[in-house]
Amino acid sequence: QLGLMTSFANFFNIYRNSFSGSLPSQLGLMTGLTSGFLPYSNHFSGSLPSQLGLMTVFTTSFRIQANSFSGSLPSQLGSMTGVASNFYIQSNRFSGSLPSQLGLMTSFANFFNIYRNSFSGSLPSQLGLMTGLTSGFLPYSNHFSGSLPSQLGLMTVFTTSFRIQANSFSGSLPSQLGSMTGVASNFYIQSNRFSGSLPSQLGLMTS
C-alpha cells in the first residue's frame, strides 16, 4: 500500500532495518520521486521490480545496496535518464549482463556503484556516454570479461576512483583511457587479464 503515495517527491528512507522478502513493485507508482529512494541495508531478496523504471524524473540517491537482490538488473532503470549521482546497487547478488540502457543516464556526475555483484559478460560500451562523470566509476569485483570498451575514454572530466579491478577483462588496455587527463587518484585495474603493451597515453594523466 505504500505505493499509493503517488505524490511522493523525495526521500523515501527505509534503510537499516530488517525488512525481508520482495520489494513491492507498487513502489514504482511513486512516479514523482526525484531523490532519495533508500531501501538499502535490509534483507530484501528476489528480483528488483522493473516498475521502478517508471520513476523517470529521478535525479539522485537511488540506493539499494547491501540487500540480497538477485537475477538480472532491470533494463527499465535506464529510463531514469536524469540520474546524476549516487546510483548504489553494490553488495547484492545481481547476475547476468549489465543492461546497456544504463548508458542513457547521460547526466551522471558521480558514484556509479555496481561492485560486489555477479554481473558477467561484456561491460556495455554505452556507459562511455556518461561523459559528465567525474568520480566513482566502480564496476569492480564482478565477473565481467572480454575487452574493456574504448568508449570509456570519453569520460574526459573524470578525476578519481576509476576501479575495474577483480574482474576478467582481457586483451589490450584501451589507449583512449589516456584522454582522462584529470585523473588524480585511485586508478585500479589490477587482478584482470590484460595483456600486450601498456599504452603510453596513460602518461597524459598528469594530475
Side-chain angles (χ1 to χ4, degrees), residues 11-103:
F11 296 108
F12 182 73
N13 295 12
I14 60 171
Y15 59 87
R16 296 188 187 132
N17 280 289
S18 295
F19 292 117
S20 60
S22 300
L23 190 70
S25 61
Q26 292 86 345
L27 296 183
L29 298 175
M30 297 179 181
T31 54
L33 190 64
T34 62
S35 59
F37 183 72
L38 306 170
Y40 67 87
S41 297
N42 277 286
H43 302 297
F44 290 116
S45 60
S47 300
L48 188 69
S50 62
Q51 291 86 344
L52 297 182
L54 296 172
M55 300 176 181
T56 55
V57 295
F58 202 85
T59 61
T60 187
S61 291
F62 183 88
R63 298 183 59 174
I64 62 168
Q65 76 268 26
N67 280 289
S68 295
F69 292 116
S70 60
S72 299
L73 187 69
S75 62
Q76 291 86 344
L77 296 186
S79 298
M80 299 191 292
T81 56
V83 172
S85 64
N86 302 338
F87 183 77
Y88 291 4
I89 66 169
Q90 71 268 24
S91 302
N92 278 289
R93 299 176 183 174
F94 291 117
S95 59
S97 300
L98 186 70
S100 61
Q101 290 87 342
L102 296 185

Side-chain angles (χ1 to χ4, degrees), residues 5-204:
M5 298 177 180
T6 54
S7 299
F8 216 93
N10 49 55
F11 296 108
F12 182 73
N13 295 12
I14 60 171
Y15 59 87
R16 296 188 187 132
N17 280 289
S18 295
F19 292 117
S20 60
S22 300
L23 190 70
S25 61
Q26 292 86 345
L27 296 183
L29 298 175
M30 297 179 181
T31 54
L33 190 64
T34 62
S35 59
F37 183 72
L38 306 170
Y40 67 87
S41 297
N42 277 286
H43 302 297
F44 290 116
S45 60
S47 300
L48 188 69
S50 62
Q51 291 86 344
L52 297 182
L54 296 172
M55 300 176 181
T56 55
V57 295
F58 202 85
T59 61
T60 187
S61 291
F62 183 88
R63 298 183 59 174
I64 62 168
Q65 76 268 26
N67 280 289
S68 295
F69 292 116
S70 60
S72 299
L73 187 69
S75 62
Q76 291 86 344
L77 296 186
S79 298
M80 299 191 292
T81 56
V83 172
S85 64
N86 302 338
F87 183 77
Y88 291 4
I89 66 169
Q90 71 268 24
S91 302
N92 278 289
R93 299 176 183 174
F94 291 117
S95 59
S97 300
L98 186 70
S100 61
Q101 290 87 342
L102 296 185
L104 298 174
M105 298 177 178
T106 54
S107 299
F108 219 95
N110 50 56
F111 296 110
F112 182 74
N113 293 14
I114 63 172
Y115 59 86
R116 294 188 187 132
N117 279 288
S118 294
F119 292 117
S120 60
S122 299
L123 190 69
S125 61
Q126 291 86 344
L127 298 184
L129 298 175
M130 298 178 180
T131 55
L133 190 64
T134 62
S135 60
F137 182 71
L138 306 170
Y140 68 86
S141 296
N142 276 284
H143 303 298
F144 291 116
S145 60
S147 300
L148 187 69
S150 61
Q151 290 86 344
L152 298 182
L154 296 172
M155 300 176 181
T156 56
V157 296
F158 202 86
T159 61
T160 187
S161 290
F162 182 89
R163 298 184 58 176
I164 62 168
Q165 75 268 25
N167 280 289
S168 296
F169 292 116
S170 60
S172 300
L173 188 69
S175 61
Q176 290 87 343
L177 296 186
S179 298
M180 299 191 291
T181 56
V183 173
S185 63
N186 301 336
F187 183 79
Y188 292 2
I189 66 169
Q190 71 269 24
S191 302
N192 278 287
R193 300 176 182 174
F194 290 118
S195 59
S197 301
L198 186 68
S200 60
Q201 290 86 344
L202 296 185
L204 298 174

